[in-house]
Structures are given as structure tokens and as C-alpha cells.
Amino acid sequence: MEKKKTSFVQGAAVLGVAGLLVKIIGAVFRIPLNNAVGPIGMSYYEVVYPYYSGLLVISSSGLPTAISKMVSERVTAGDYRGAHKVFVTAMRLLVCLGLFTGLLMFFGSEGLSALSSQPEAHLSFKVLSPALLVVSIMCAYRGYLQGMQRMTGTALSQIVEQVGKLAIGLTLAIKLLPKGPEYAAMGALIGVTASEFLALLTIIFVYNRYRPSIRRHMEQSAPYAPSPIAKNLILLAVPITLGASISSLSGMVDSAMIIRILLNLGYSKDTAQTAYSLLRSNVTTLTNMPGVLTMALAMSLVPAISASVARRDKSSVQNISRLGMKLALIIGLPCSVGLFVLAKPILGMLYPRLTEAQLTLAADLMHTASIGVIFLSLVQAMTGIIQGLGKPNVPLFNLFIGFILKVITLVALTNIPSINIQGASISTVICYAFAGIADTAYAVRKAHINMNLWDVILKPVLSSAVMGAMVYMCFAFMNELGHVTLGVLLSVTLGVCVYGILAIYLRMFSREELNYIPGGRKLKRLIYGSKQ
């Protein structure tokens, strides 16, 4: 039993580290790509990607989780033949889904590009469509190996995928740029398709390494128990897929509506494309980064809450849930303040090719979007807590209502000439604000969380405010000396140090809470001394 628990923890750690690396490499890819192809080129890229992500959700979100769950159940019962039958059935289902979605994107490329008011993007839709089939096949392998507690395949394939995208996509984008920005975007998306193929080869290689062991287990397997595998896979996958699809739908709405609305307001096509690219590629890439930390920490709390619920340990459920809420604020608040205070210098440092007008607009959008970082952190952490409480449909419903509010406010605000593109940024903040507050209210009530205002909210608020003031003064001083880039780096470093010192001085975490945090034992000695 202990060995199984250790295996699970090690597997979760492997996926967590891989996920963090994937997000970092993905951000690294977008920054030089943006600098290479410019806002117009990125607008073609950003128009295509939400549709790809939306179609990919059908095969890549719920089904791998359903496969791993059903495989794990059969492996636990010693039914390795049944587990392999799940894999074979899922592979057939995913190949059909991959073919359907790939053909849909390929033959619908003209209509989708016209819908987004960028007909030149149809080539990008076409070159990306094969990736939908490749990823679908890969998801069958990932789900099967994860169900067997073999996480290495998923982790390696994810890393290969991102490295391939960075190397191939960036190279092709630069090579094709002389032909026009739409061809540069197409080159980047060819790199995405190629990288997915490399990732598939990687996970097949890993699967073949485990194949002899799988065969031995199948030979010694318990009798195969027939069951409606395809039906059960679909029933398990649908709720997860619906939840994941909301984020993709949000991107598709932005892709379909923002440029169209700006054109109707009288802006030129280049101006509309540039504004859309600044929002989706420059600003959103940065404001989504703190969510990587929140998601990684929330994932580690879910099994702890689930185990406490199973033991009916209400006190433990309360403590862990309160910690999840604190983590969301302790991470989200300083990141939000930092992005707000350093919006323009950070964007200028990362995207030196932006004109002064583009930089000013991007900074204004960042000021709005940075507020949403707090609520996005709450959404991710609270979703993990509520799932641990056994109520996965609650955060799904709240996020769906937030999405409806986003669409309404996007249309209403963006159509106001004085607000224009800012309406899109405000609408996203409203979406996450509703979902984050609703999730938090439900978690507090359901888990009976003891809300100490000073401990949970005011400590991170005060620390973030002090940190923000120090960062602002540091950058202002360095900027006066003419050292902008050095000023950004020093200001960020100072902000991290100031916030860390305040976290220790104000004792943001209790002794008990530190038990759930990686490295908590060392932090406990630092904060509370040798007595534990």
C-alpha cells in the first residue's frame, strides 16, 4: 500500500514538473515568435489557435482522464486484459474523433478564416488540421500509460512537443516571413503539427519499452470481465470535456468577434489585427503565467482533500481548503500587483519591436488584465478544492455563467468606441471574477472554512501593496538613470525578496499548513524556529 502511494506521489511529481516546464517553454516560444513576425503575423496565429484548441478539447481533455481511470480500476483488480481492451477501444474512438475534427478544420478552413475576418489565415487552418488526428492517437497512449501509473511517457512527450514547436515553428516562421505575415504564421503552425508528430513517436517509443512487461501481466491476468467500455468512456469524459471546453470557447469568441467589431467601429484592418494580437499574444501570455503556479499547487491539494473527505475528517478538510484559498491569494495578489506596476517596462523588455503606440495600448490592456490574475488564481484553486469535495459540476456551472457574462460584456463594451479593445479585456476579468467569487463562496460554505479576515486576506493584500510600492520606486529610480531593462530585473528581484520577507514576518502559513507544502519542514524552522 505504501509502495502504491509512493508511486502515485512520484507520478504526480513527474507530471507536475513536466507541466511547469511545458508552460515555460510555451511562453518562451511565443515571445521570440512575436518579436520575429510582429503583431500582424501573430494575429493570424492567434486567430487559428483557439479553434484548434476548441476542437482538440473533444479528444484531449476528458477521454485521457477517463481512459486512465478505467485502466487503473482494472489494473487494481488484476484485470490487465480488460485494461488493454479499454486502450484498444479508446484508440478506435479517438482515431474516429481525430479524423472527424481534422477533416472539419481542413475543409472548413475557408469559412473559419472568413468568420474571423482574416481570410488569409485559411492556409494556417489547413496545415494545423493533421495535428488533431496525431494528438488524438497520442491521447490514447497517454491515458493508458497514466492508468498503469507510467507517467514518464506523458511527461517526455509533452516536453518533446514544446521543444519541437519552439525549434521547428520558430525556424519556419522566420524562413517564411519574407512571403508575408500570413505565411510566417503558417510556418509556426506547421511547427506545431510537426512537434505533435514527434511527441507521438516519443510516447510510442516509451509504450514499446513497457510492452514486454504489459504482455507478461496480461498472460497472468484475472479473467476478463466484459463491460460497455465505449459507453463508460464517453460518460466519464463528457463532464470533464465540457469544463475544459469553456476556456477554448472563450478564445474562439475572441477570435470570431474582436476584429469584426473593431472593423465595424471604423478601424483599419491592420489596426484591428494589431490590437487583437496585443491582447491575445502579448498580454494574455503574461497574465496566464501565474496560473501555472496556482494550478500546480492546487493539484497537490486535491488528493489530500479527497482523502480527508473519505476519512470524514472535517477538521482536515477545513484546514486544507483554507490553505488552498490562501495559496490562491498569496500567489495571485503579488503577481497581479507586479504585472500592473511594471506593465509597460515588462512588455517593452520582452517585445522590443513594439512601437510606442503599440506599447502604450498593450500596457493599458495589461493594467486591466492583471486584475483578472487574482480571480483566475481563485478559480483554479477553488476548482481543485471543490473537485476534492466531490462536486465537479459546481465549478463547471459557475465558469459557464462567467462565460455567458463574458460574451455579453464583450459585445456591449467593445462596441463602445471610447472603450473598444479594452472591452474584451474587461469581459475576461468579469468572467473570472464571477466564477472565482462563486467558487469561493461555495467552498467556504461546503467545507465550513473558518474565514479569518486578517490571516487569509489582509496579510497577502498588505504584503502585495508594500511590495508594489517598493517595486514602483525601484524601477522609477533605475529608469531615471536610463537603465530600463536592468531596472525591470532589479525591481522584480526586489519584489520577490520583499514579499518573501513579509510572508515570513507576518507568518502567512501556520505550522499545520506548512505540512502540506513541499519544503514545508524547512520553512517551519525558518518561520517558527526549531520548536515544531
Side-chain angles (χ1 to χ4, degrees):
M1 186 71 178
E2 185 63 32
K3 184 177 179 181
K4 188 173 181 181
K5 181 179 178 182
T6 303
S7 174
F8 171 77
V9 172
Q10 289 173 342
V14 168
L15 289 180
V17 171
L20 191 59
L21 283 172
V22 162
K23 289 291 186 181
I24 292 170
I25 296 170
V28 168
F29 166 68
R30 281 175 177 264
I31 291 170
L33 178 65
N34 197 310
N35 289 329
V37 305
I40 303 297
M42 285 306 296
S43 73
Y44 290 111
Y45 182 93
E46 293 294 352
V47 156
V48 175
Y49 217 82
Y51 291 102
Y52 168 71
S53 300
L55 290 170
L56 197 60
V57 161
I58 298 172
S59 58
S60 68
S61 58
L63 275 169
T65 303
I67 295 166
S68 65
K69 184 178 187 299
M70 291 178 66
V71 167
S72 179
E73 289 171 350
R74 283 157 176 75
V75 167
T76 302
D79 182 10
Y80 286 88
R81 289 184 185 276
H84 197 264
K85 182 68 175 176
V86 171
F87 170 56
V88 172
T89 304
M91 178 66 78
R92 292 170 182 163
L93 183 61
L94 281 163
V95 167
C96 291
L97 283 172
L99 279 171
F100 172 73
T101 53
L103 291 171
L104 184 65
M105 176 177 272
F106 185 87
F107 290 107
S109 59
E110 304 279 352
L112 291 172
S113 56
L115 179 66
S116 302
S117 303
Q118 301 210 74
E120 304 90 345
H122 74 277
L123 291 173
S124 294
F125 279 102
K126 280 186 167 64
V127 300
L128 192 55
S129 58
L132 290 163
L133 173 60
V134 174
V135 174
S136 295
I137 296 170
M138 182 164 54
C139 284
Y141 283 102
R142 284 178 174 175
Y144 182 55
L145 292 175
Q146 285 172 209
M148 302 281 285
Q149 288 298 314
R150 309 288 188 181
M151 307 299 183
T152 309
T154 297
L156 283 176
S157 64
Q158 287 176 338
I159 293 170
V160 167
E161 175 187 339
Q162 291 297 324
V163 172
K165 185 167 69 173
L166 176 62
I168 301 170
L170 189 58
T171 300
L172 289 176
I174 294 171
K175 291 283 187 184
L176 292 173
L177 182 58
K179 297 184 71 174
E182 66 272 26
Y183 287 96
M186 183 184 73
L189 293 168
I190 291 173
V192 173
T193 298
S195 69
E196 300 293 7
F197 183 70
L198 291 175
L200 175 60
L201 293 179
T202 301
I203 202 164
I204 290 174
F205 172 77
V206 174
Y207 169 77
N208 286 332
R209 291 283 302 273
Y210 290 128
R211 201 169 182 180
S213 173
I214 292 170
R215 282 180 174 172
R216 285 195 302 271
H217 282 303
M218 287 176 65
E219 290 170 0
Q220 302 165 4
S221 175
Y224 167 60
S227 62
I229 293 174
K231 178 182 176 182
N232 290 340
L233 279 170
I234 293 169
L235 289 174
L236 285 169
V238 166
I240 302 170
T241 302
L242 287 174
S245 67
I246 293 174
S247 177
S248 298
L249 280 172
S250 178
M252 290 167 69
V253 166
D254 285 348
S255 177
M257 300 182 73
I258 292 174
I259 293 177
R260 185 180 298 276
I261 292 173
L262 293 178
L263 290 174
N264 290 338
L265 288 176
Y267 290 96
S268 69
K269 187 172 183 180
D270 281 1
T271 302
Q273 287 177 311
T274 299
Y276 173 75
S277 175
L278 291 173
L279 173 63
R280 292 288 304 178
S281 187
N282 301 69
V283 173
T284 304
T285 298
L286 294 176
T287 54
N288 281 346
M289 284 303 292
V292 177
L293 297 173
T294 316
M295 183 62 74
L297 289 166
M299 283 173 63
S300 68
L301 293 171
V302 173
I305 293 174
S306 300
S308 299
V309 170
R311 295 194 307 268
R312 298 187 178 182
D313 185 350
K314 293 182 179 180
S315 175
S316 182
V317 169
Q318 291 172 2
N319 291 335
I320 300 170
S321 299
R322 183 172 60 251
L323 174 59
M325 186 185 304
K326 287 175 69 172
L327 285 169
L329 294 172
I330 287 170
I331 294 171
L333 276 166
C335 290
S336 174
V337 170
L339 288 171
F340 186 94
V341 171
L342 295 176
K344 192 169 184 177
I346 287 176
L347 287 163
M349 180 183 73
L350 295 177
Y351 305 103
R353 289 187 58 185
L354 294 179
T355 65
E356 183 61 28
Q358 291 170 349
L359 185 57
T360 300
L361 176 57
D364 288 342
L365 291 169
M366 178 81 89
H367 288 146
T368 303
S370 62
I371 299 170
V373 170
I374 303 169
F375 299 112
L376 177 58
S377 299
L378 278 174
V379 167
Q380 291 176 327
M382 295 298 104
T383 296
I385 291 168
I386 296 170
Q387 286 176 342
L389 294 170
K391 300 291 183 180
N393 291 330
V394 172
L396 169 61
F397 176 78
N398 290 336
L399 191 56
F400 178 73
I401 299 300
F403 169 72
I404 298 298
L405 291 173
K406 172 191 167 61
V407 174
I408 294 170
T409 52
L410 170 66
V411 174
L413 295 175
T414 310
N415 271 295
I416 300 173
S418 60
I419 298 178
N420 57 77
I421 188 66
Q422 275 286 2
S425 189
I426 295 168
S427 69
T428 301
V429 174
I430 289 172
C431 170
Y432 288 129
F434 176 84
I437 293 169
D439 286 348
T440 302
Y442 180 87
V444 169
R445 187 176 72 254
K446 185 70 177 177
H448 304 289
I449 299 175
N450 179 22
M451 282 287 293
N452 184 312
L453 189 64
W454 165 247
D455 184 53
V456 177
I457 298 176
L458 294 183
K459 283 183 181 179
V461 167
L462 175 62
S463 301
S464 298
V466 173
M467 179 210 74
M470 297 294 289
V471 165
Y472 177 82
M473 289 188 288
C474 177
F475 178 76
F477 175 73
M478 295 300 296
N479 190 40
E480 283 291 323
L481 298 177
H483 301 298
V484 178
T485 300
L486 181 60
V488 171
L489 298 175
L490 283 176
S491 299
V492 171
T493 304
L494 176 65
V496 171
C497 293
V498 168
Y499 193 78
I501 291 169
L502 287 170
I504 294 170
Y505 178 75
L506 294 175
R507 295 184 173 181
M508 287 190 188
F509 297 108
S510 68
R511 287 187 174 90
E512 186 175 12
E513 287 168 344
L514 289 170
N515 293 329
Y516 297 105
I517 298 174
R521 188 181 297 274
K522 293 179 180 178
L523 286 172
K524 196 185 295 186
R525 285 198 295 268
L526 179 64
I527 297 172
Y528 293 98
S530 57
K531 293 182 180 181
Q532 296 181 18

